[in-house]
Amino acid sequence: MKNDFTFIKTDRKLLKINFNEIILIKGLGNYVEILMLENKKYIYYNSLKDLIEKLPSEFMRVHNSYIVNLTNIDFFEDNHLTLKGNKISVAKTYRECLNNTLNKLIL
């Protein structure tokens, strides 16, 4: 069964979030900040390393501090991704993998 949503534990409650509403996930040490559409942000206890293994295939790690939702990328230019107005850099170690993935999506 493929879910298009998940639950996270934040503020002592379980909160349902839809994967397609996630713009990016930023690592903050032992915590992650999930940036959602409509400028919502959620912080909860987890690591990017653990998280990337549980996320659907449209999510990709592009930096030691960032996981992005490929469906929310506006453009990729000069080693920077822009996702719904948020500009983040792509690390050299992840660049080739990102390029290969995006090239498969080109019409």
Side-chain angles (χ1 to χ4, degrees):
M1 181 172 111
K2 183 181 181 296
N3 289 335
D4 53 357
F5 64 90
T6 189
F7 287 89
I8 61 168
K9 195 169 198 164
T10 183
D11 296 329
R12 294 191 302 271
K13 64 184 173 209
L14 282 177
L15 179 72
K16 178 185 173 189
I17 57 174
N18 294 311
F19 289 127
N20 64 346
E21 294 179 15
I22 298 172
I23 298 172
L24 62 90
I25 303 169
K26 181 179 181 181
L28 305 168
N30 292 331
Y31 288 83
V32 293
E33 178 181 74
I34 300 177
L35 183 62
M36 308 285 292
L37 295 174
E38 299 173 17
N39 286 328
K40 291 184 203 156
K41 287 182 184 177
Y42 302 111
I43 294 177
Y44 82 109
Y45 186 80
N46 207 333
S47 70
L48 290 181
K49 184 176 181 279
D50 290 342
L51 209 52
I52 194 66
E53 295 169 10
K54 298 174 186 170
L55 290 166
S57 61
E58 62 265 22
F59 288 86
M60 177 177 271
R61 190 147 186 190
V62 296
H63 190 278
N64 284 345
S65 301
Y66 294 106
I67 294 172
V68 299
N69 183 343
L70 298 173
T71 62
N72 285 318
I73 292 174
D74 295 322
F75 55 89
F76 179 37
E77 177 183 44
D78 298 330
N79 303 320
H80 286 86
L81 279 173
T82 300
L83 303 98
K84 306 295 181 202
N86 300 278
K87 189 173 181 179
I88 63 165
S89 55
V90 176
K92 265 185 193 163
T93 51
Y94 297 99
R95 200 170 299 143
E96 186 178 343
C97 187
L98 177 64
N99 273 326
N100 292 340
T101 302
L102 294 180
N103 283 335
K104 289 176 190 166
L105 300 172
I106 293 175
L107 289 177

mmCIF file of all heavy atoms in Angstrom, residues 65-101:
data_model
loop_
_atom_site.group_PDB
_atom_site.id
_atom_site.type_symbol
_atom_site.label_atom_id
_atom_site.label_comp_id
_atom_site.label_asym_id
_atom_site.label_seq_id
_atom_site.Cartn_x
_atom_site.Cartn_y
_atom_site.Cartn_z
ATOM 1 N N SER A 65 22.306 19.135 4.529
ATOM 2 C CA SER A 65 21.259 19.730 5.359
ATOM 3 C C SER A 65 19.873 19.728 4.732
ATOM 4 O O SER A 65 18.940 20.207 5.353
ATOM 5 C CB SER A 65 21.627 21.176 5.690
ATOM 6 O OG SER A 65 22.852 21.235 6.377
ATOM 7 N N TYR A 66 19.720 19.221 3.492
ATOM 8 C CA TYR A 66 18.428 19.349 2.823
ATOM 9 C C TYR A 66 17.974 18.098 2.090
ATOM 10 O O TYR A 66 18.753 17.458 1.390
ATOM 11 C CB TYR A 66 18.460 20.479 1.778
ATOM 12 C CG TYR A 66 18.635 21.846 2.347
ATOM 13 C CD1 TYR A 66 19.846 22.506 2.236
ATOM 14 C CD2 TYR A 66 17.588 22.481 3.005
ATOM 15 C CE1 TYR A 66 20.020 23.774 2.766
ATOM 16 C CE2 TYR A 66 17.757 23.756 3.536
ATOM 17 C CZ TYR A 66 18.955 24.393 3.414
ATOM 18 O OH TYR A 66 19.124 25.638 3.947
ATOM 19 N N ILE A 67 16.690 17.819 2.227
ATOM 20 C CA ILE A 67 15.972 16.866 1.384
ATOM 21 C C ILE A 67 14.898 17.698 0.692
ATOM 22 O O ILE A 67 14.224 18.500 1.339
ATOM 23 C CB ILE A 67 15.300 15.753 2.218
ATOM 24 C CG1 ILE A 67 16.349 14.874 2.908
ATOM 25 C CG2 ILE A 67 14.384 14.901 1.336
ATOM 26 C CD1 ILE A 67 15.765 13.876 3.897
ATOM 27 N N VAL A 68 14.757 17.519 -0.615
ATOM 28 C CA VAL A 68 13.746 18.292 -1.341
ATOM 29 C C VAL A 68 12.695 17.368 -1.952
ATOM 30 O O VAL A 68 12.959 16.205 -2.218
ATOM 31 C CB VAL A 68 14.362 19.167 -2.466
ATOM 32 C CG1 VAL A 68 15.344 20.163 -1.892
ATOM 33 C CG2 VAL A 68 15.004 18.323 -3.549
ATOM 34 N N ASN A 69 11.521 17.930 -2.164
ATOM 35 C CA ASN A 69 10.455 17.244 -2.879
ATOM 36 C C ASN A 69 10.583 17.652 -4.342
ATOM 37 O O ASN A 69 10.363 18.816 -4.691
ATOM 38 C CB ASN A 69 9.094 17.656 -2.302
ATOM 39 C CG ASN A 69 7.945 16.927 -2.937
ATOM 40 O OD1 ASN A 69 8.079 16.343 -4.011
ATOM 41 N ND2 ASN A 69 6.805 16.962 -2.278
ATOM 42 N N LEU A 70 10.970 16.732 -5.193
ATOM 43 C CA LEU A 70 11.218 17.037 -6.608
ATOM 44 C C LEU A 70 10.001 17.628 -7.301
ATOM 45 O O LEU A 70 10.128 18.416 -8.230
ATOM 46 C CB LEU A 70 11.668 15.773 -7.356
ATOM 47 C CG LEU A 70 12.974 15.140 -6.885
ATOM 48 C CD1 LEU A 70 13.213 13.814 -7.589
ATOM 49 C CD2 LEU A 70 14.147 16.085 -7.079
ATOM 50 N N THR A 71 8.816 17.294 -6.837
ATOM 51 C CA THR A 71 7.601 17.802 -7.480
ATOM 52 C C THR A 71 7.380 19.290 -7.204
ATOM 53 O O THR A 71 6.575 19.924 -7.875
ATOM 54 C CB THR A 71 6.346 17.010 -7.036
ATOM 55 O OG1 THR A 71 6.181 17.164 -5.625
ATOM 56 C CG2 THR A 71 6.461 15.545 -7.397
ATOM 57 N N ASN A 72 8.092 19.839 -6.227
ATOM 58 C CA ASN A 72 7.930 21.262 -5.896
ATOM 59 C C ASN A 72 9.103 22.126 -6.347
ATOM 60 O O ASN A 72 9.217 23.283 -5.945
ATOM 61 C CB ASN A 72 7.681 21.443 -4.390
ATOM 62 C CG ASN A 72 6.267 21.053 -4.016
ATOM 63 O OD1 ASN A 72 5.321 21.377 -4.730
ATOM 64 N ND2 ASN A 72 6.112 20.350 -2.924
ATOM 65 N N ILE A 73 9.979 21.586 -7.203
ATOM 66 C CA ILE A 73 11.099 22.377 -7.734
ATOM 67 C C ILE A 73 10.576 23.324 -8.804
ATOM 68 O O ILE A 73 9.856 22.918 -9.712
ATOM 69 C CB ILE A 73 12.183 21.464 -8.343
ATOM 70 C CG1 ILE A 73 12.864 20.641 -7.253
ATOM 71 C CG2 ILE A 73 13.225 22.300 -9.110
ATOM 72 C CD1 ILE A 73 13.844 19.612 -7.798
ATOM 73 N N ASP A 74 10.920 24.599 -8.691
ATOM 74 C CA ASP A 74 10.576 25.572 -9.727
ATOM 75 C C ASP A 74 11.660 25.577 -10.802
ATOM 76 O O ASP A 74 11.359 25.519 -11.984
ATOM 77 C CB ASP A 74 10.419 26.975 -9.137
ATOM 78 C CG ASP A 74 9.244 27.044 -8.173
ATOM 79 O OD1 ASP A 74 8.206 26.413 -8.452
ATOM 80 O OD2 ASP A 74 9.366 27.716 -7.136
ATOM 81 N N PHE A 75 12.925 25.669 -10.379
ATOM 82 C CA PHE A 75 14.024 25.567 -11.336
ATOM 83 C C PHE A 75 15.337 25.245 -10.651
ATOM 84 O O PHE A 75 15.483 25.389 -9.442
ATOM 85 C CB PHE A 75 14.159 26.820 -12.226
ATOM 86 C CG PHE A 75 14.301 28.116 -11.496
ATOM 87 C CD1 PHE A 75 15.542 28.604 -11.140
ATOM 88 C CD2 PHE A 75 13.181 28.873 -11.192
ATOM 89 C CE1 PHE A 75 15.665 29.814 -10.476
ATOM 90 C CE2 PHE A 75 13.302 30.087 -10.521
ATOM 91 C CZ PHE A 75 14.547 30.557 -10.164
ATOM 92 N N PHE A 76 16.292 24.779 -11.476
ATOM 93 C CA PHE A 76 17.636 24.408 -11.034
ATOM 94 C C PHE A 76 18.605 25.196 -11.895
ATOM 95 O O PHE A 76 18.614 25.060 -13.108
ATOM 96 C CB PHE A 76 17.831 22.900 -11.222
ATOM 97 C CG PHE A 76 19.181 22.372 -10.840
ATOM 98 C CD1 PHE A 76 19.870 22.867 -9.746
ATOM 99 C CD2 PHE A 76 19.770 21.353 -11.564
ATOM 100 C CE1 PHE A 76 21.111 22.365 -9.386
ATOM 101 C CE2 PHE A 76 21.011 20.837 -11.223
ATOM 102 C CZ PHE A 76 21.679 21.347 -10.128
ATOM 103 N N GLU A 77 19.405 26.042 -11.251
ATOM 104 C CA GLU A 77 20.307 26.929 -11.986
ATOM 105 C C GLU A 77 21.526 27.236 -11.135
ATOM 106 O O GLU A 77 21.397 27.520 -9.945
ATOM 107 C CB GLU A 77 19.546 28.224 -12.304
ATOM 108 C CG GLU A 77 20.361 29.280 -13.010
ATOM 109 C CD GLU A 77 19.557 30.556 -13.220
ATOM 110 O OE1 GLU A 77 18.856 30.998 -12.293
ATOM 111 O OE2 GLU A 77 19.658 31.108 -14.315
ATOM 112 N N ASP A 78 22.708 27.172 -11.740
ATOM 113 C CA ASP A 78 23.962 27.512 -11.044
ATOM 114 C C ASP A 78 24.106 26.793 -9.708
ATOM 115 O O ASP A 78 24.442 27.393 -8.694
ATOM 116 C CB ASP A 78 24.071 29.027 -10.822
ATOM 117 C CG ASP A 78 24.106 29.796 -12.127
ATOM 118 O OD1 ASP A 78 24.598 29.241 -13.130
ATOM 119 O OD2 ASP A 78 23.636 30.940 -12.143
ATOM 120 N N ASN A 79 23.837 25.504 -9.705
ATOM 121 C CA ASN A 79 23.969 24.681 -8.495
ATOM 122 C C ASN A 79 23.052 25.114 -7.358
ATOM 123 O O ASN A 79 23.346 24.879 -6.188
ATOM 124 C CB ASN A 79 25.425 24.619 -8.024
ATOM 125 C CG ASN A 79 26.314 24.075 -9.126
ATOM 126 O OD1 ASN A 79 25.930 23.150 -9.833
ATOM 127 N ND2 ASN A 79 27.479 24.645 -9.290
ATOM 128 N N HIS A 80 21.965 25.770 -7.701
ATOM 129 C CA HIS A 80 20.948 26.142 -6.724
ATOM 130 C C HIS A 80 19.583 25.662 -7.199
ATOM 131 O O HIS A 80 19.278 25.742 -8.385
ATOM 132 C CB HIS A 80 20.900 27.663 -6.525
ATOM 133 C CG HIS A 80 22.044 28.181 -5.743
ATOM 134 N ND1 HIS A 80 23.251 28.505 -6.321
ATOM 135 C CD2 HIS A 80 22.188 28.418 -4.421
ATOM 136 C CE1 HIS A 80 24.083 28.937 -5.385
ATOM 137 N NE2 HIS A 80 23.457 28.879 -4.219
ATOM 138 N N LEU A 81 18.803 25.183 -6.253
ATOM 139 C CA LEU A 81 17.421 24.814 -6.532
ATOM 140 C C LEU A 81 16.520 25.898 -5.966
ATOM 141 O O LEU A 81 16.786 26.421 -4.886
ATOM 142 C CB LEU A 81 17.055 23.499 -5.827
ATOM 143 C CG LEU A 81 17.478 22.199 -6.468
ATOM 144 C CD1 LEU A 81 17.173 21.046 -5.528
ATOM 145 C CD2 LEU A 81 16.772 21.991 -7.791
ATOM 146 N N THR A 82 15.476 26.221 -6.672
ATOM 147 C CA THR A 82 14.454 27.112 -6.135
ATOM 148 C C THR A 82 13.162 26.315 -6.059
ATOM 149 O O THR A 82 12.716 25.738 -7.043
ATOM 150 C CB THR A 82 14.283 28.364 -7.009
ATOM 151 O OG1 THR A 82 15.536 29.054 -7.051
ATOM 152 C CG2 THR A 82 13.225 29.300 -6.434
ATOM 153 N N LEU A 83 12.618 26.249 -4.856
ATOM 154 C CA LEU A 83 11.392 25.513 -4.595
ATOM 155 C C LEU A 83 10.408 26.466 -3.939
ATOM 156 O O LEU A 83 10.625 26.895 -2.805
ATOM 157 C CB LEU A 83 11.630 24.341 -3.639
ATOM 158 C CG LEU A 83 12.676 23.315 -4.045
ATOM 159 C CD1 LEU A 83 13.996 23.586 -3.358
ATOM 160 C CD2 LEU A 83 12.189 21.936 -3.723
ATOM 161 N N LYS A 84 9.376 26.842 -4.668
ATOM 162 C CA LYS A 84 8.342 27.729 -4.126
ATOM 163 C C LYS A 84 8.957 28.956 -3.447
ATOM 164 O O LYS A 84 8.581 29.328 -2.347
ATOM 165 C CB LYS A 84 7.438 26.972 -3.141
ATOM 166 C CG LYS A 84 6.827 25.714 -3.705
ATOM 167 C CD LYS A 84 5.868 26.009 -4.836
ATOM 168 C CE LYS A 84 5.253 24.741 -5.382
ATOM 169 N NZ LYS A 84 4.756 24.858 -6.718
ATOM 170 N N GLY A 85 9.956 29.555 -4.101
ATOM 171 C CA GLY A 85 10.583 30.762 -3.593
ATOM 172 C C GLY A 85 11.717 30.542 -2.609
ATOM 173 O O GLY A 85 12.333 31.493 -2.156
ATOM 174 N N ASN A 86 12.011 29.304 -2.253
ATOM 175 C CA ASN A 86 13.105 28.993 -1.326
ATOM 176 C C ASN A 86 14.314 28.537 -2.126
ATOM 177 O O ASN A 86 14.257 27.522 -2.809
ATOM 178 C CB ASN A 86 12.690 27.868 -0.368
ATOM 179 C CG ASN A 86 11.497 28.237 0.463
ATOM 180 O OD1 ASN A 86 11.636 28.912 1.460
ATOM 181 N ND2 ASN A 86 10.318 27.813 0.045
ATOM 182 N N LYS A 87 15.406 29.298 -2.036
ATOM 183 C CA LYS A 87 16.612 28.975 -2.793
ATOM 184 C C LYS A 87 17.596 28.234 -1.890
ATOM 185 O O LYS A 87 17.940 28.715 -0.812
ATOM 186 C CB LYS A 87 17.250 30.270 -3.314
ATOM 187 C CG LYS A 87 18.378 30.049 -4.290
ATOM 188 C CD LYS A 87 18.845 31.368 -4.876
ATOM 189 C CE LYS A 87 19.953 31.156 -5.884
ATOM 190 N NZ LYS A 87 20.398 32.411 -6.481
ATOM 191 N N ILE A 88 18.006 27.041 -2.330
ATOM 192 C CA ILE A 88 18.986 26.271 -1.563
ATOM 193 C C ILE A 88 20.084 25.792 -2.494
ATOM 194 O O ILE A 88 19.866 25.607 -3.681
ATOM 195 C CB ILE A 88 18.343 25.076 -0.819
ATOM 196 C CG1 ILE A 88 17.742 24.084 -1.806
ATOM 197 C CG2 ILE A 88 17.318 25.526 0.191
ATOM 198 C CD1 ILE A 88 17.421 22.748 -1.189
ATOM 199 N N SER A 89 21.272 25.604 -1.935
ATOM 200 C CA SER A 89 22.382 25.138 -2.767
ATOM 201 C C SER A 89 22.403 23.612 -2.812
ATOM 202 O O SER A 89 21.975 22.945 -1.885
ATOM 203 C CB SER A 89 23.708 25.692 -2.254
ATOM 204 O OG SER A 89 23.874 25.372 -0.907
ATOM 205 N N VAL A 90 22.909 23.095 -3.924
ATOM 206 C CA VAL A 90 23.055 21.657 -4.112
ATOM 207 C C VAL A 90 24.532 21.326 -3.912
ATOM 208 O O VAL A 90 25.395 21.920 -4.551
ATOM 209 C CB VAL A 90 22.596 21.241 -5.527
ATOM 210 C CG1 VAL A 90 22.837 19.755 -5.764
ATOM 211 C CG2 VAL A 90 21.127 21.595 -5.737
ATOM 212 N N ALA A 91 24.816 20.411 -3.020
ATOM 213 C CA ALA A 91 26.201 20.030 -2.735
ATOM 214 C C ALA A 91 26.784 19.231 -3.897
ATOM 215 O O ALA A 91 26.070 18.513 -4.590
ATOM 216 C CB ALA A 91 26.250 19.205 -1.452
ATOM 217 N N LYS A 92 28.094 19.365 -4.102
ATOM 218 C CA LYS A 92 28.782 18.665 -5.197
ATOM 219 C C LYS A 92 28.522 17.166 -5.166
ATOM 220 O O LYS A 92 28.325 16.545 -6.207
ATOM 221 C CB LYS A 92 30.295 18.891 -5.085
ATOM 222 C CG LYS A 92 30.801 20.017 -5.903
ATOM 223 C CD LYS A 92 32.319 20.068 -5.824
ATOM 224 C CE LYS A 92 32.801 21.401 -6.389
ATOM 225 N NZ LYS A 92 34.156 21.707 -6.022
ATOM 226 N N THR A 93 28.522 16.583 -3.981
ATOM 227 C CA THR A 93 28.369 15.133 -3.863
ATOM 228 C C THR A 93 26.996 14.640 -4.321
ATOM 229 O O THR A 93 26.849 13.477 -4.673
ATOM 230 C CB THR A 93 28.606 14.670 -2.408
ATOM 231 O OG1 THR A 93 27.793 15.466 -1.546
ATOM 232 C CG2 THR A 93 30.053 14.819 -2.011
ATOM 233 N N TYR A 94 25.995 15.519 -4.319
ATOM 234 C CA TYR A 94 24.638 15.124 -4.704
ATOM 235 C C TYR A 94 24.262 15.615 -6.099
ATOM 236 O O TYR A 94 23.226 15.233 -6.634
ATOM 237 C CB TYR A 94 23.617 15.677 -3.702
ATOM 238 C CG TYR A 94 23.800 15.132 -2.305
ATOM 239 C CD1 TYR A 94 24.463 15.867 -1.329
ATOM 240 C CD2 TYR A 94 23.316 13.877 -1.958
ATOM 241 C CE1 TYR A 94 24.634 15.368 -0.051
ATOM 242 C CE2 TYR A 94 23.472 13.369 -0.682
ATOM 243 C CZ TYR A 94 24.134 14.118 0.263
ATOM 244 O OH TYR A 94 24.299 13.617 1.524
ATOM 245 N N ARG A 95 25.093 16.462 -6.701
ATOM 246 C CA ARG A 95 24.748 17.135 -7.955
ATOM 247 C C ARG A 95 24.523 16.172 -9.118
ATOM 248 O O ARG A 95 23.552 16.288 -9.857
ATOM 249 C CB ARG A 95 25.839 18.151 -8.304
ATOM 250 C CG ARG A 95 25.378 19.218 -9.266
ATOM 251 C CD ARG A 95 26.396 20.319 -9.404
ATOM 252 N NE ARG A 95 26.624 20.969 -8.113
ATOM 253 C CZ ARG A 95 27.802 21.405 -7.687
ATOM 254 N NH1 ARG A 95 28.877 21.298 -8.442
ATOM 255 N NH2 ARG A 95 27.926 21.973 -6.512
ATOM 256 N N GLU A 96 25.432 15.202 -9.289
ATOM 257 C CA GLU A 96 25.320 14.277 -10.418
ATOM 258 C C GLU A 96 24.031 13.447 -10.327
ATOM 259 O O GLU A 96 23.317 13.266 -11.320
ATOM 260 C CB GLU A 96 26.539 13.354 -10.476
ATOM 261 C CG GLU A 96 26.539 12.472 -11.705
ATOM 262 C CD GLU A 96 27.770 11.580 -11.792
ATOM 263 O OE1 GLU A 96 28.771 11.861 -11.095
ATOM 264 O OE2 GLU A 96 27.708 10.602 -12.550
ATOM 265 N N CYS A 97 23.728 12.985 -9.156
ATOM 266 C CA CYS A 97 22.512 12.196 -8.949
ATOM 267 C C CYS A 97 21.264 13.040 -9.249
ATOM 268 O O CYS A 97 20.324 12.574 -9.901
ATOM 269 C CB CYS A 97 22.485 11.673 -7.524
ATOM 270 S SG CYS A 97 21.140 10.529 -7.215
ATOM 271 N N LEU A 98 21.266 14.281 -8.796
ATOM 272 C CA LEU A 98 20.143 15.181 -9.071
ATOM 273 C C LEU A 98 20.015 15.435 -10.566
ATOM 274 O O LEU A 98 18.924 15.359 -11.128
ATOM 275 C CB LEU A 98 20.305 16.505 -8.317
ATOM 276 C CG LEU A 98 19.222 17.549 -8.594
ATOM 277 C CD1 LEU A 98 17.850 17.072 -8.113
ATOM 278 C CD2 LEU A 98 19.574 18.879 -7.946
ATOM 279 N N ASN A 99 21.136 15.723 -11.233
ATOM 280 C CA ASN A 99 21.117 15.946 -12.683
ATOM 281 C C ASN A 99 20.559 14.735 -13.427
ATOM 282 O O ASN A 99 19.737 14.884 -14.326
ATOM 283 C CB ASN A 99 22.526 16.264 -13.210
ATOM 284 C CG ASN A 99 22.838 17.738 -13.127
ATOM 285 O OD1 ASN A 99 21.969 18.578 -13.294
ATOM 286 N ND2 ASN A 99 24.088 18.046 -12.858
ATOM 287 N N ASN A 100 21.004 13.549 -13.040
ATOM 288 C CA ASN A 100 20.513 12.327 -13.690
ATOM 289 C C ASN A 100 19.020 12.154 -13.504
ATOM 290 O O ASN A 100 18.300 11.807 -14.440
ATOM 291 C CB ASN A 100 21.255 11.089 -13.156
ATOM 292 C CG ASN A 100 22.699 11.069 -13.578
ATOM 293 O OD1 ASN A 100 23.100 11.722 -14.541
ATOM 294 N ND2 ASN A 100 23.511 10.309 -12.844
ATOM 295 N N THR A 101 18.553 12.413 -12.309
ATOM 296 C CA THR A 101 17.132 12.282 -12.011
ATOM 297 C C THR A 101 16.305 13.298 -12.802
ATOM 298 O O THR A 101 15.291 12.957 -13.396
ATOM 299 C CB THR A 101 16.874 12.450 -10.496
ATOM 300 O OG1 THR A 101 17.642 11.464 -9.802
ATOM 301 C CG2 THR A 101 15.402 12.282 -10.163
#
